[in-house]
Amino acid sequence: MTQIIILGATGSVGETTFRVVQAEPERVSVDGLVANTQGERLWAMGRALQARWIGLADYAAGAALRRQHPSGAPRIAAGMDDILAEIAASPATKVIGAMSGFSGLLPTLTALENGKDILLANKETMVAAGDLVQKVAHESGQKIIPVDSEHSAIFQCLAPGQPVRRILLTCSGGPFRGRSREDLRSVTVEDALHHPNWSMGAKITVDSATLMNKGLELIEAHHLFSVPYEQVEVLIHPQSIVHSLVEFVDGATMAQLGWPDMAVPVQVALSWPERWAMDSLPLDLTRQPLTFDPPDTGTFEALTIARQAGLAGGLMPTVLNAANEVAVSLFMARSIAFLSIIDIIKEVLNDFADNEEVSGLAQILEADQWARTQAADVAMRYRQ
Ligand SMILES: NC(=O)c1ccc[n+]([C@@H]2O[C@H](COP(=O)([O-])OP(=O)(O)OC[C@H]3O[C@@H](n4cnc5c(N)ncnc54)[C@H](OP(=O)(O)O)[C@@H]3O)[C@@H](O)[C@H]2O)c1
């Protein structure tokens, strides 16, 4: 029986994990669940899974939930400090990292430092602090197992001791595939949230529309698999069936295929190195065309920007991630236009003059904060 914690339990990946875990009561039990504000849903999940504790990062929401449910079963942690203490003390051995954004960094580090493997969906943590997260995992002897579908595919294709020539990250192209920059001037939040293949949280769906999601995944792949950026390429594959490919030095190329369903990478991460049966739809490749194209980096500049930030290294990816989070939330609040997301990120990256090697968490927190403030300032000129 594996005991786990689910970070971001009320989100899209969190709800998928909840279903996977509910189907495996003999194999997985849940010690704790974490969300931000959705107390009643988290409480219901905690009761259904017989969790020992649940935690809301938003202190006021956690305190309110405690007043509503004073019974203490499950116990309710309020605020991030309480949550980090619960994670540190938990007997769980695996933590699903499915919080959205930079907020996942501290719980991820705490889990690794306290003897837990991380099953990581939360790519922003790897983008903002990949070297640090890998260092902490290495020092504490813990594993980082990818849950992001592309990285799960790569993870399943790789074999120990087999040198890689290229990693091919597949990308659906998002809702605006084939559109020109001119077309993108007037797209709305609703248009951007209409992903053709995947049902996901709002932030990652907008990232998929700008293609910044693939840019973040490029940096994530570099850190997870220790591959140079020159060896990671992006391939547009509108059907989202081939989840990514690994080309080995002899030219042999392995791919992992399946319907777009996050339950598979979640379960693979939980079961690895075993495989558990799952009631999933089989592929019918006689009816399913598979097509591949190069990305349109002229219209979707995010890929180039992310690659440049990754190559610059140091704190540049931290700044990229923070500027993107701010710009995406302003777009979702309808304060800026879709194309302004990338314009703001480019300005913030240009303004960042203090790039340096990362030696610790404090530097990352400072760069993240600087980039958030800078992005908000820059965005004032883009408000509509
Ligand atoms: N969705 C997918 O299919 C998918 C696929 C691959 C990778 N990912 C990655 O997985 C992560 C989660 O994505 P998602 O689509 O599941 O996001 P989502 O639906 O927006 O859910 C986010 C979850 O994180 C919680 N959360 C947000 N801010 C928090 C904070 N400051 N402190 C604690 N908890 C916080 C939310 O709690 P509340 O509900 O209380 O706000 C919710 O449980 C992202 O990094 C994304 O890039 C997602």
Side-chain angles (χ1 to χ4, degrees):
M1 177 71 86
T2 305
Q3 217 175 0
I4 69 165
I5 294 168
I6 308 175
L7 306 175
T10 52
S12 168
V13 176
E15 291 281 359
T16 301
T17 307
F18 175 72
R19 288 192 293 278
V20 168
V21 167
Q22 272 202 316
E24 294 291 350
E26 307 294 319
R27 288 176 160 134
V28 186
S29 72
V30 174
D31 184 52
L33 297 164
V34 174
N36 192 24
T37 55
Q38 286 203 66
E40 284 307 330
R41 176 66 191 137
L42 194 70
W43 173 261
M45 292 170 114
R47 299 282 291 182
L49 295 171
Q50 295 179 305
R52 209 168 46 87
W53 62 276
I54 59 174
L56 288 177
D58 184 293
Y59 182 82
L65 193 67
R66 267 186 197 153
R67 285 194 295 278
Q68 256 157 313
H69 301 284
S71 72
R75 190 166 67 236
I76 299 169
M80 191 46 92
D81 288 348
D82 253 19
I83 289 170
L84 297 181
E86 288 285 3
I87 293 172
S90 168
T93 54
K94 294 182 181 177
V95 173
I96 307 274
M99 282 164 64
S100 57
F102 187 76
S103 63
L105 177 59
L106 290 182
T108 299
L109 292 175
T110 303
L112 290 170
E113 282 161 355
N114 288 278
K116 294 142 194 19
D117 292 337
I118 280 282
L119 318 187
L120 193 73
N122 174 221
K123 65 194 80 183
E124 294 91 343
T125 281
M126 229 38 202
V127 172
D131 287 333
L132 178 67
V133 173
Q134 282 291 14
K135 179 168 168 274
V136 171
H138 183 73
E139 283 168 1
S140 54
Q142 299 309 133
K143 290 196 271 298
I144 303 171
I145 300 183
V147 169
D148 215 350
S149 58
E150 295 78 0
H151 304 76
S152 172
I154 296 161
F155 176 76
Q156 292 175 65
C157 292
L158 288 171
Q162 300 194 350
V164 168
R165 189 193 281 164
R166 277 191 310 166
I167 282 181
L168 297 164
L169 269 182
T170 52
C171 171
S172 71
F176 304 141
R177 181 176 54 87
R179 304 270 192 105
S180 69
R181 210 178 141 75
E182 201 46 45
D183 295 336
L184 298 182
R185 283 194 196 290
S186 54
V187 295
T188 64
V189 173
E190 289 70 25
D191 297 332
L193 288 177
H194 194 71
H195 196 282
N197 304 341
W198 294 94
S199 161
M200 310 182 284
K203 194 260 177 183
I204 184 177
T205 307
V206 174
D207 283 346
S208 300
T210 59
L211 259 58
M212 183 54 86
N213 182 48
K214 212 49 56 180
L216 300 179
E217 288 180 4
L218 177 73
I219 301 174
E220 184 187 13
H222 163 79
H223 286 296
L224 282 174
F225 307 115
S226 303
V227 279
Y229 285 101
E230 296 75 15
Q231 284 171 246
V232 189
E233 291 175 28
V234 172
L235 207 50
I236 300 296
H237 169 51
Q239 298 84 18
S240 298
I241 298 287
V242 177
H243 296 304
S244 279
L245 307 94
V246 176
E247 181 184 288
F248 293 95
V249 285
D250 54 7
T253 303
M254 305 284 286
Q256 186 257 327
L257 284 72
W259 295 114
D261 177 0
M262 284 303 291
V264 177
V266 165
Q267 180 164 303
V268 166
L270 276 169
S271 67
W272 199 261
E274 292 172 21
R275 282 192 188 266
W276 301 338
M278 182 184 267
D279 190 15
S280 50
L281 268 184
L283 273 183
D284 181 356
L285 290 173
T286 61
R287 289 158 180 260
Q288 180 58 63
L290 302 176
T291 60
F292 302 91
D293 290 295
D296 173 2
T297 48
T299 304
F300 297 97
E301 294 173 275
L303 280 178
T304 310
I305 295 165
R307 189 179 285 277
Q308 284 166 348
L311 284 166
L315 293 164
M316 208 55 102
T318 315
V319 170
L320 170 85
N321 177 66
N324 183 53
E325 286 192 25
V326 171
V328 168
S329 68
L330 287 171
F331 169 67
M332 287 196 292
R334 294 162 212 274
S335 301
I336 60 168
F338 181 74
L339 287 177
S340 304
I341 297 174
I342 299 300
D343 291 339
I344 291 167
I345 297 169
K346 283 201 296 197
E347 280 203 38
V348 175
L349 288 168
N350 276 335
D351 293 345
F352 185 55
D354 301 323
N355 196 20
E356 51 187 26
E357 285 304 305
V358 178
S359 57
L361 178 62
Q363 252 177 318
I364 290 170
L365 296 176
E366 198 182 322
D368 173 80
Q369 203 44 60
W370 176 86
R372 282 172 199 274
T373 308
Q374 189 70 8
D377 281 354
V378 168
M380 296 299 278
R381 283 187 280 108
Y382 288 87
R383 289 199 175 252
Q384 55 180 12

